[in-house]
Amino acid sequence: MATYLEEHCEEELDTEGIKSTFQRNYNYLSTLFKAKLGTSIFCFHERQRIMRAAELLKNTSMNITEVSYALQFKSPYYFSRVFKKVMGESPSDYIKNIYRIK
């Protein structure tokens, strides 16, 4: 399931898609996932999306808004909140730090 989530990190979490792909109840899968990896499906998927966003911000000329829409976040503001929660800094600070390192 972790591989499936990594492959679909550019999409919103689709519980119905997971349910039909693995042909199991989502709550059951969620319980197994948390027991094996120590995190929820949602948190794992969210982290994968933000790691992909960090790659895009670092390796492309896409701006924050473009990256947020490319990864199907509801809005750039929501994307920024999630990015800061996962990475510990805002997307704009992340970009500034990349250029500072170069």
Side-chain angles (χ1 to χ4, degrees), residues 12 24 32 35 45 49 51 54 57 59 61 63 76-77 79 92 102:
E12 282 189 68
R24 299 278 188 265
L32 284 179
H45 182 68
R49 288 173 82 193
M51 298 310 287
L57 290 170
N59 300 319
S61 62
N63 65 35
Y77 303 108
F79 166 73
S92 55
K102 287 184 179 180

Side-chain angles (χ1 to χ4, degrees), residues 34-78:
K34 182 145 187 158
K36 292 284 183 184
L37 297 178
T39 188
S40 69
I41 291 172
F42 178 80
C43 289
F44 183 87
H45 182 68
E46 186 175 73
R47 180 158 179 72
Q48 293 301 311
R49 288 173 82 193
I50 295 303
M51 298 310 287
R52 177 68 179 132
E55 285 178 35
L56 291 173
L57 290 170
K58 185 175 182 178
N59 300 319
T60 70
S61 62
M62 294 172 76
N63 65 35
I64 295 167
T65 301
E66 292 168 332
V67 169
S68 72
Y69 288 130
L71 296 176
Q72 299 184 17
F73 280 89
K74 292 177 175 38
S75 75
Y77 303 108
Y78 177 68

